[in-house]
Amino acid sequence: MATEIPAEQSGKCQREIHRAKSIPYQILHKEHESEAKRHQQYRSPHRFTGSKGCSCMDRRRVVLKTPEATCRRASEVLLKTLSFIRNLPSFYHVPWEDQLVLIQQNWVPLFVLGMAQEGVDFDLREISAPSLLKKILLNQSWTPSNELGSSLLGASLAEVQKMKNLLWKFWDLDISVKEYAYLKGIILFNSGCHVLKCLPYVQTLQQEAQQALMEFISMMFHRNLARFSWILRLIASLQDIDADAIEELFFRPILGEATLNVLLLETLYIKPDWL
């Protein structure tokens, strides 16, 4: 399923694509070896539910009920995700501009997938904004800017519910360690952004990871590829998760005013000079 690199593509793409052939197979299989002991996923007795289609959910804000423990686990997931990326030689064969795009575009779905793999569930508490009547009784001014400031506290309940429901769908499928490894490759080498300099090269890597996943599922589930299609639809849904909600919920208590995007690039040693 490899895509031929056009002659007008950069020389680096042409030189490296044959070297990267089957790299996702080799590295993603190592993921299975390094995580031979898969821990039991924690599942709360009830799914996170809410009123679908209710616009008030977009205005409701939530924070973690146990931020210290949950933020620690979220940070561990993020570090494991970065470790996965850093151990992929094929990722560093693309120009640093493409690395930048791939990280900025795909760190959120990779992180949520990592949360699913590690079985990280979490409880929330809602932030109650002062009512208009209370502000009047306390002689507090009420302006649109005040309302905006209060809405920026915490994460959107609607966005967090979307993430939690996706986590449950992954857990219901009981995805194996190998499947998670292939999925990480498919997500990281997402070629949906057409500004990549080495787009055919990235497309080839994603196709190889998809082919490896399909062959594994075909072998383990008696050629029933409905699971393959369902999983691909699930990871496509991960692209809809809001990055700001993830950052506010899991990393704002740790980072303060710092930006997670910059931290990710610094950790991967691909921070460009202009950042």
Side-chain angles (χ1 to χ4, degrees), residues 159-171:
E159 289 297 329
V160 176
Q161 177 179 336
K162 188 190 303 181
M163 174 186 172
K164 273 184 158 286
N165 287 340
L166 280 174
L167 288 176
W168 273 103
K169 289 178 181 179
F170 278 106
W171 293 334

Side-chain angles (χ1 to χ4, degrees), residues 126-182:
E126 188 170 348
I127 301 174
S128 56
S131 66
L132 177 58
L133 176 60
K134 182 177 179 180
K135 289 184 177 183
I136 293 174
L137 293 176
L138 295 177
N139 197 26
Q140 295 177 339
S141 61
W142 180 79
T143 64
S145 61
N146 286 342
E147 184 181 14
L148 177 63
S150 64
S151 68
L152 293 177
L153 297 173
S156 163
L157 174 60
E159 289 297 329
V160 176
Q161 177 179 336
K162 188 190 303 181
M163 174 186 172
K164 273 184 158 286
N165 287 340
L166 280 174
L167 288 176
W168 273 103
K169 289 178 181 179
F170 278 106
W171 293 334
D172 285 344
L173 283 173
D174 195 24
I175 296 176
S176 68
V177 173
K178 268 194 175 182
E179 287 174 307
Y180 273 118
Y182 296 133

Side-chain angles (χ1 to χ4, degrees), residues 24 28 84 88 102 105-106 110 113 179-192 202 205-214 228 231-232 235-236 239:
L28 295 175
F84 170 82
L88 281 178
L102 291 174
Q105 177 178 276
N106 300 315
L110 281 171
L113 187 71
E179 287 174 307
Y180 273 118
Y182 296 133
L183 289 175
K184 290 175 187 176
I186 294 171
I187 292 174
L188 177 62
F189 297 114
N190 177 15
S191 56
V202 173
L205 294 174
Q206 186 184 55
Q207 289 166 3
E208 288 185 1
Q210 287 177 340
Q211 180 67 25
L213 175 64
M214 184 174 64
F228 175 72
I231 291 177
L232 287 187
I235 63 172
Q239 296 289 343

Side-chain angles (χ1 to χ4, degrees), residues 5 76 92 115 133 156 167 174 181 183 195 217 232-233 262:
I5 304 292
E76 291 171 354
Y92 289 98
M115 295 281 280
L133 176 60
S156 163
L167 288 176
D174 195 24
L183 289 175
V195 300
I217 291 177
L232 287 187
R233 285 196 297 270
V262 174

Side-chain angles (χ1 to χ4, degrees), residues 42 63-78 111 115 118-125 160 163-164 167 246 248-254:
Y42 170 76
V63 293
L64 296 169
K65 184 174 286 187
T66 56
E68 183 177 350
T70 307
C71 288
R72 181 173 64 250
R73 295 204 66 190
S75 298
E76 291 171 354
V77 169
L78 188 62
F111 170 77
M115 295 281 280
E118 298 299 321
V120 180
D121 205 349
F122 49 90
D123 295 319
L124 305 165
R125 65 177 179 86
V160 176
M163 174 186 172
K164 273 184 158 286
L167 288 176
I246 297 295
E248 283 297 323
L249 191 65
F250 298 108
F251 300 105
R252 185 60 57 214
I254 301 173

